[in-house]
Amino acid sequence: MPTVYYLGYRSLFVTLTAWAAIVLAAVACSVGVIQQAALASWAPGLDAAVQAEPVSAAGGWLLESLPWVVGAGLMASVALLVSAVGLLMRLEWARRAFIVLLGVAMVAQLASVWLQHRFLQSLVDAAEVPAVLPGGAVTAAALLTGAGALLACGGLGWVIVRLMSPKVRREFVA
């Protein structure tokens, strides 16, 4: 069987994945900067509001860690933008970094399901009127969030598998 060299071969999958990630990461970076500015302007009032109106332990932890979560999201957006540009240039380190970032995104997606459930549950527990959000609505929200997270993780996993395939790996420069 003759040896086939893929000199100059550029798969449409990698190009479209890189451009989609560049656009989404650029938007996420812009939103992250706006979130940082909003958080900086809310910080004094947020502390006063938490002191005036006690929240549950989970809600308090979420409010305390909000600056770290927003900062981590901004850093991940910048890392995704850099690795997506490298992916478009077919650099091997960028392909590996992109795969790692997709794995981190899958873990973050699953963790966000738990965080959303805890936050919603703390709102229900803190409500004056227990009938504001009936148990069925909370369960339906948890199921829909979980199904959406599993669907997103499946799509990200598919992209990881495609980026790790031998056909795609051949077009990257070490």
Side-chain angles (χ1 to χ4, degrees):
M1 179 176 272
T3 304
V4 177
Y5 295 102
Y6 289 94
L7 297 175
Y9 173 74
R10 296 200 176 250
S11 71
L12 184 62
F13 170 75
V14 174
T15 302
L16 291 178
T17 301
W19 276 112
I22 288 169
V23 170
L24 291 174
V27 169
C29 286
S30 302
V31 169
V33 169
I34 292 169
Q35 284 178 336
Q36 286 288 342
L39 193 60
S41 69
W42 292 344
L46 192 59
D47 289 338
V50 170
Q51 297 300 328
E53 186 74 30
V55 294
S56 67
W61 179 79
L62 288 173
L63 288 174
E64 288 175 7
S65 61
L66 190 61
W68 291 100
V69 171
V70 171
L74 181 60
M75 296 294 285
S77 300
V78 170
L80 182 63
L81 183 61
V82 170
S83 67
V85 169
L87 190 70
L88 188 63
M89 296 170 51
R90 305 305 198 266
L91 301 173
E92 178 62 20
W93 66 264
R95 183 185 69 83
R96 291 175 189 232
F98 195 81
I99 289 170
V100 167
L101 286 170
L102 289 181
V104 168
M106 290 171 68
V107 171
Q109 182 70 30
L110 293 175
S112 74
V113 171
W114 177 79
L115 283 174
Q116 289 172 9
H117 175 70
R118 292 299 306 153
F119 188 69
L120 182 60
Q121 194 62 45
S122 70
L123 289 177
V124 170
D125 292 343
E128 299 278 332
V129 181
V132 172
L133 285 174
V138 174
T139 303
L143 289 175
L144 286 174
T145 304
L150 290 177
L151 187 64
C153 287
L156 293 175
W158 176 77
V159 173
I160 289 173
V161 168
R162 287 284 309 262
L163 285 175
M164 293 176 69
S165 71
K167 182 180 177 182
V168 170
R169 283 195 335 224
R170 279 189 219 121
E171 58 181 292
F172 283 84
V173 178

